[in-house]
Amino acid sequence: MKLFRILKSTGIVCVVVLRGSNCYAVQSATPAAAGWVNMQVRDLVVDTLLRGLGGEEVGPLPKRSAACLLIAPIQGEHGSLVVAPTARLMTVAYDAQEDVLKELTVKFGGSGLKIKDQLLLLTGELTWMNQQKGGEGPVLTVNFQRGPFKGFFTGAPRVPVVVKIAQVGSELCVAAP
């Protein structure tokens, strides 16, 4: 009988078969699953902010949005930076930094948000930080943890999820790196 060991590491699951000097490894789809979780959390954050701030979503997404270029730039044609299509942009009528903190804390703080059999919990401090790239605008990094929930977190591993929010003028951009 072959001895199987499962080794887990960030983003990769290896199945190792110990038999002489043979070793077989299989990469799982964990990174893709993590990207889907990040996008789902990004959408929850956007929906929360749209309702709480009374903002309006901008569509189609402009390729040169100043707020989105702070947190979701990708390289476009001829090396110029453009906005990644995974970002979501909204407009607000005022400086919404304090209200963003309040909305996120109310929705995700404390006991977290239960989604089916998962718990999404806000972790870390919420602080707007000015960017060092010429002071274009403040950025808020929001850290979450998501994991199985049956009345309390189980011993199963929790998945860290990061969402970034930037505001420049009336533009408020949300992206999940």
Side-chain angles (χ1 to χ4, degrees):
M1 186 169 154
K2 296 178 184 177
L3 176 62
F4 289 98
R5 290 188 184 176
I6 299 176
L7 304 172
K8 294 182 181 179
S9 65
T10 58
I12 298 176
V13 175
C14 291
V15 178
V16 179
V17 179
L18 296 176
R19 188 187 78 184
S21 62
N22 293 340
C23 178
Y24 307 97
V26 179
Q27 185 174 354
S28 77
T30 306
W36 178 81
V37 168
N38 288 353
M39 294 302 123
Q40 187 180 31
V41 173
R42 178 214 54 195
D43 291 343
L44 285 169
V45 168
V46 169
D47 293 342
T48 299
L49 295 177
L50 282 171
R51 276 194 303 275
L53 304 177
E56 292 184 26
E57 188 162 6
V58 176
L61 188 62
K63 292 185 178 196
R64 302 287 308 156
S65 163
C68 290
L69 284 174
L70 282 175
I71 58 174
I74 58 172
Q75 191 169 356
E77 296 176 8
H78 310 293
S80 64
L81 292 180
V82 295
V83 175
T86 56
R88 289 185 61 188
L89 181 65
M90 65 185 83
T91 58
V92 291
Y94 60 97
D95 184 10
Q97 292 178 21
E98 290 301 316
D99 289 338
V100 166
L101 298 179
K102 183 175 90 173
E103 293 298 325
L104 293 175
T105 303
V106 167
K107 180 81 171 198
F108 302 104
S111 59
L113 177 67
K114 189 169 185 240
I115 307 167
K116 296 184 183 178
D117 63 341
Q118 299 267 311
L119 181 68
L120 181 65
L121 188 62
L122 182 63
T123 59
E125 188 176 328
L126 295 177
T127 305
W128 287 93
M129 303 293 287
N130 282 324
Q131 292 300 295
Q132 300 301 320
K133 305 176 198 173
E136 293 133 341
V139 172
L140 176 67
T141 301
V142 187
N143 295 302
F144 295 96
Q145 282 195 358
R146 183 176 179 155
F149 182 74
K150 295 185 178 154
F152 52 90
F153 266 131
T154 66
R158 294 180 230 161
V159 178
V161 179
V162 176
V163 173
K164 291 190 174 195
I165 303 170
Q167 182 172 9
V168 175
S170 65
E171 291 184 344
L172 192 66
C173 187
V174 181

